[in-house]
Amino acid sequence: MENEITAEQIAQHYSAALDSVALINAGKPEKMTDADWADCLSRNKEHLVIMLAKDYWTTEDLTPLRTAAA
């Protein structure tokens, strides 16, 4: 039982994943180098892939996560 995740924790993980989605969808910030943007994209997409592999999702809409991770 100690590894059970709470609804609040799921909500926090979902919120963090949506932050990655928003960052990806916003596009490269004007002052960011192409290399830094490529790194940022890579890290955020990997975060989404990891989050999508979790088995604790309930009714959350994972479509935005899948789309941004693709």
Side-chain angles (χ1 to χ4, degrees):
M1 284 278 197
E2 67 187 53
N3 289 333
E4 212 166 293
I5 188 164
T6 67
E8 183 179 343
Q9 289 169 315
I10 292 170
Q12 289 170 345
H13 288 301
Y14 187 65
S15 177
L18 289 178
D19 287 345
S20 285
V21 170
L23 188 146
I24 290 166
N25 289 342
K28 183 174 91 66
E30 202 174 297
K31 296 183 181 206
M32 186 178 276
T33 67
D34 288 345
D36 285 345
W37 175 240
D39 182 57
C40 181
L41 267 181
S42 174
R43 285 184 285 112
N44 279 276
K45 286 185 177 196
E46 181 61 25
H47 173 237
L48 293 176
V49 168
I50 291 167
M51 296 314 292
L52 285 165
K54 301 296 183 187
D55 63 1
Y56 50 64
W57 301 118
T58 56
T59 60
E60 297 79 17
D61 180 5
L62 302 179
T63 304
L65 282 62
R66 289 187 190 101
T67 302

